[in-house]
Amino acid sequence: MGHSPGDGEEFPMYVVKVPALIEMKRIEPHQVLKRSGVVIEVPPGARDRVAFVSHQWCGRYHPDPCRVQMHVLQTILRRATASTLKVEADVFSVLALRMKQTTRAPDLRKLAVDGFVWYDYFSVPQPAAP
């Protein structure tokens, strides 16, 4: 997919499909997952189905060397896929931003099945990685 000047994008957004992330056994850098086709550019019209994952780096050269945080993320996404996850918004979001108090399990399932994840280590090239 090409990006033309003036389309508002400086760089393409790379993501991983939720089902692929759920099945990941290792957290590989962007370059490795892009070569294998796991990391893809977000498809046109799919930006509203991208979850941005923010996390704490637990290692100097790898974000989660023991896969502790990734295991939690995979568990949450599995529960969303199985429609056993319930998400409640915080009070500020409900009152000030008028967000729904609870996101329903079927809505979460649709996002999990058809969604994508942006995660810095595999969505952004890592200069120090292979």
Side-chain angles (χ1 to χ4, degrees), residues 79-125:
R79 287 188 59 203
T81 302
S83 295
T84 60
L85 182 67
K86 176 181 172 184
V87 176
E88 295 184 9
D90 62 276
V91 174
F92 176 80
S93 297
V94 172
L95 297 176
L97 303 177
R98 301 187 191 284
M99 290 178 69
K100 293 188 298 185
Q101 188 168 0
T102 303
T103 303
R104 300 175 329 131
D107 295 333
L108 292 168
R109 184 182 191 293
K110 177 154 180 51
L111 285 172
V113 171
D114 298 330
F116 303 87
V117 173
W118 185 98
Y119 181 94
D120 60 0
Y121 193 62
F122 51 69
S123 294
V124 177

Side-chain angles (χ1 to χ4, degrees), residues 7 9 21 24 30 36 38 61 83 104 109 112 115 119 121 130:
D7 68 1
E9 294 184 17
L21 189 139
M24 275 187 188
H30 173 85
S36 68
V38 174
Y61 300 106
S83 295
R104 300 175 329 131
R109 184 182 191 293
Y119 181 94
Y121 193 62

Side-chain angles (χ1 to χ4, degrees), residues 21 53 68-78 117 119:
L21 189 139
V53 175
V68 173
Q69 295 177 91
M70 182 58 73
H71 177 73
V72 171
L73 177 60
Q74 288 172 319
T75 300
I76 290 167
L77 293 171
R78 277 190 196 96
V117 173
Y119 181 94

